[in-house]
Amino acid sequence: MKRYLQVVWAVLWKDMRVEWRTKDSFTSMAVFAVLALLIFNFAFELNVPDKRMVVPGVLWVAVAFAGVLGLGRAFITEKDQGSLAGLLLAPVDRSAIYLGKMLSNFLFILIVEAFILPLLTIFFNVTVIIPSLLLVLFLGTLGFAAVGTVFSALAVNTRAREVLLPVLLFPVLLPVLIAGIRATSGFLVGDTLADHANWLRLIIFFDILFLVVAFLTFDYVVEE
Amino acid sequence: MPEALIQIRGLHKYFGRHRVLRGIDLSIETGQTLILLGPNGAGKTTLLRILATLSRPTQGEVQVAGVSTKANPEGIRQYLGMVSHAPLLYGDLSAAENLEFYARLYGLHQPEARIKHLLQQVDLYHRRKDMVRTFSRGMIQRLAIARALLHNPPILLLDEPDTGLDPQAAEMLTGLLGDIGGRERTIIMTTHHLERGLALADRVAILAGGKLVLDTPAAEIDPQGVRPLYDHFVNQERRKA
């Protein structure tokens, strides 16, 4: 187990260090998310009586689309610089590689969320930094990264990889997005966690399901 | 008779309907250096990737040290080091950081001394803190060899490691490969450079059209005659196809 966790940590450390130096994923995700917020801000400026009605959708759409950019790069850069085989040659269960990659994706998306939440508050004049909302965003992002990392590995060996990832990912992710948006809507109007326990349970169920399926299938996904 | 470290029996590999390997049988003994020759598309890389557990055989069996690649791929990967035309390195990490990362993947304890030794062996110790993206192709391939040797594997798989190297860098690489071989290490190398391959080999095999058309001790091949021999077998297979 110690050996397994050592590999998970090694992959996470490597991704963080490379990202710290290049800022490739963060820059593309953050710029995309900010542009999405700006476009929605102008689009809804005149027509919405209460901006709390649109903020949940804006938040989750910005996170989902920006996140796809980061997830897409997770394995494409490994493949393009020829280092993917190096990871797969490690004498360890390949789910450790998956877990390391998934955690780095998860962390990158969380950092982008931390960047856009204050901007969302400024642009829409709605307080979104609420503990219950942060919890649902955290859990939804976990499911997003869990399934997105597997699909990213699956898409990397195909010719239409940039197109294929969102096409595969969003239909599967739909329950988490719907639950996230519904729960976020409630928290913005002052509802408590207990009021939206069912949505939270749904997200947790899908998080567990995605993680289990990813652990079981990753070895087959990355092998020829 | 020495014990076969690698046993390949009845190996077939399909990609969709395209048959890449057609019934390969091969056994390689401990300490042997086998040079695998063949034209593009002959199946050399596919064979090495199956040996490295990066690809699954469609049919047949591969055993390393008596263990099937299907039964215990993780265990077999501990025995293997691989160098391919892709470097398996990270351009935005330094030479030392790349080796530290792979040392963690291979579970090496206190790898600093080993990393220093290997960087000195491949003459890159003075560039250990430089980003790999600043290296020449020859330096990258030398670092790739250091990476492959990090866990001191008894089997080294080399997939056209001399691709893209200038003659001077290729000569340096050949010298390095000569140094790292030996009685304890088994090397399987694919190359298009017949003479260079023959200089390193104990044994030569030619793969054409997914079939092994020649497997012979290197001592039985006249260095001057290796090109005509290669052309003969490859053309013969092309005519059959």
Side-chain angles (χ1 to χ4, degrees), chain A residues 2-3 6-7 9-11 13-15 17-18 21-22 24 78-79 81-94 97 219-220 222-224, chain B residues 13 15 49 52-56 73-75 77-78 80 82 86-94 97 100-109 131 147:
Chain A
K2 189 183 166 194
R3 168 101 187 78
Q6 193 181 21
V7 171
W9 170 245
V11 174
W13 172 89
K14 184 269 298 172
D15 279 354
R17 180 160 281 209
V18 169
R21 286 189 182 145
T22 64
D24 282 349
E78 297 277 1
K79 182 87 176 173
Q81 65 182 344
S83 49
L84 184 58
L87 285 180
L88 302 179
L89 281 167
V92 69
D93 191 303
R94 284 180 178 149
I97 307 288
D219 200 9
Y220 296 94
V222 290
E223 219 167 61
E224 284 171 0
Chain B
K13 177 70 183 180
F15 287 114
R49 288 181 68 83
T53 74
L54 293 171
S55 183
R56 283 175 206 264
E74 292 97 45
R77 288 198 282 271
Q78 190 72 53
L80 304 171
M82 190 175 192
L88 319 187
L89 294 166
Y90 295 90
D92 290 301
L93 296 181
S94 71
E97 285 169 343
E100 283 163 15
F101 169 60
Y102 279 103
R104 286 187 190 135
L105 287 191
Y106 282 89
L108 303 188
H109 296 290
M131 295 297 135
R147 178 197 49 71

Side-chain angles (χ1 to χ4, degrees), chain B:
Chain B
M1 190 174 166
E3 188 189 344
L5 181 64
I6 299 171
Q7 280 275 4
I8 301 171
R9 289 195 212 99
L11 182 65
H12 291 259
K13 177 70 183 180
Y14 288 77
F15 287 114
R17 293 169 66 182
H18 179 58
R19 191 157 59 159
V20 180
L21 295 176
R22 299 189 286 168
I24 304 287
D25 292 295
L26 191 65
S27 59
I28 303 154
E29 289 146 19
T30 303
Q32 272 194 335
T33 298
L34 171 75
I35 300 299
L36 199 56
L37 305 171
N40 288 333
K44 304 185 297 294
T45 296
T46 303
L47 180 58
L48 287 197
R49 288 181 68 83
I50 289 172
L51 277 171
T53 74
L54 293 171
S55 183
R56 283 175 206 264
T58 308
Q59 197 184 319
E61 193 178 27
V62 177
Q63 288 190 350
V64 177
V67 179
S68 165
T69 52
K70 287 177 191 165
N72 185 8
E74 292 97 45
I76 284 172
R77 288 198 282 271
Q78 190 72 53
Y79 284 93
L80 304 171
M82 190 175 192
V83 177
S84 71
H85 31 88
L88 319 187
L89 294 166
Y90 295 90
D92 290 301
L93 296 181
S94 71
E97 285 169 343
N98 265 286
L99 296 189
E100 283 163 15
F101 169 60
Y102 279 103
R104 286 187 190 135
L105 287 191
Y106 282 89
L108 303 188
H109 296 290
Q110 296 178 328
E112 296 79 12
R114 177 80 181 148
I115 290 171
K116 185 179 177 184
H117 168 72
L118 285 167
L119 285 172
Q120 285 169 338
Q121 194 178 4
V122 299
D123 195 23
L124 287 172
Y125 187 68
H126 63 294
R127 298 288 305 269
R128 65 190 180 281
K129 290 182 180 170
D130 294 344
M131 295 297 135
V132 168
R133 66 180 140 78
T134 66
F135 285 10
S136 69
R137 172 80 184 147
M139 291 161 78
I140 287 173
Q141 281 306 74
R142 274 152 46 207
L143 184 61
I145 290 172
R147 178 197 49 71
L149 292 172
L150 202 56
H151 57 298
N152 202 15
I155 301 168
L156 202 53
L157 306 174
L158 307 167
D159 187 14
E160 298 177 18
D162 47 4
T163 300
L165 297 183
D166 60 49
Q168 197 185 359
E171 278 309 311
M172 194 170 180
L173 187 73
T174 306
L176 186 60
L177 293 175
D179 293 343
I180 60 176
R183 288 185 183 178
E184 300 302 317
R185 184 166 285 132
T186 304
I187 297 177
I188 305 174
M189 175 169 144
T190 71
T191 182
H192 287 293
H193 198 291
L194 309 188
E195 292 77 12
R196 193 179 296 139
L198 198 61
L200 291 165
D202 298 319
R203 204 169 138 193
V204 175
I206 297 177
L207 200 62
K211 286 199 293 191
L212 211 55
V213 293
L214 177 78
D215 179 6
T216 187
E220 291 179 11
I221 296 180
D222 170 16
Q224 306 298 319
V226 63
R227 173 64 63 183
L229 186 75
Y230 174 82
D231 290 341
H232 165 75
F233 280 109
V234 170
N235 290 335
Q236 191 181 47
E237 201 52 41
R238 277 192 186 135
R239 278 195 295 274
K240 280 187 200 170

Side-chain angles (χ1 to χ4, degrees), chain A residues 41-63:
Chain A
N41 187 37
F42 286 118
F44 294 127
E45 196 171 13
L46 299 173
N47 303 327
V48 181
D50 184 352
K51 287 195 175 166
R52 286 178 299 185
M53 290 166 66
V54 295
V55 162
V58 172
L59 172 63
W60 283 91
V61 165
V63 167

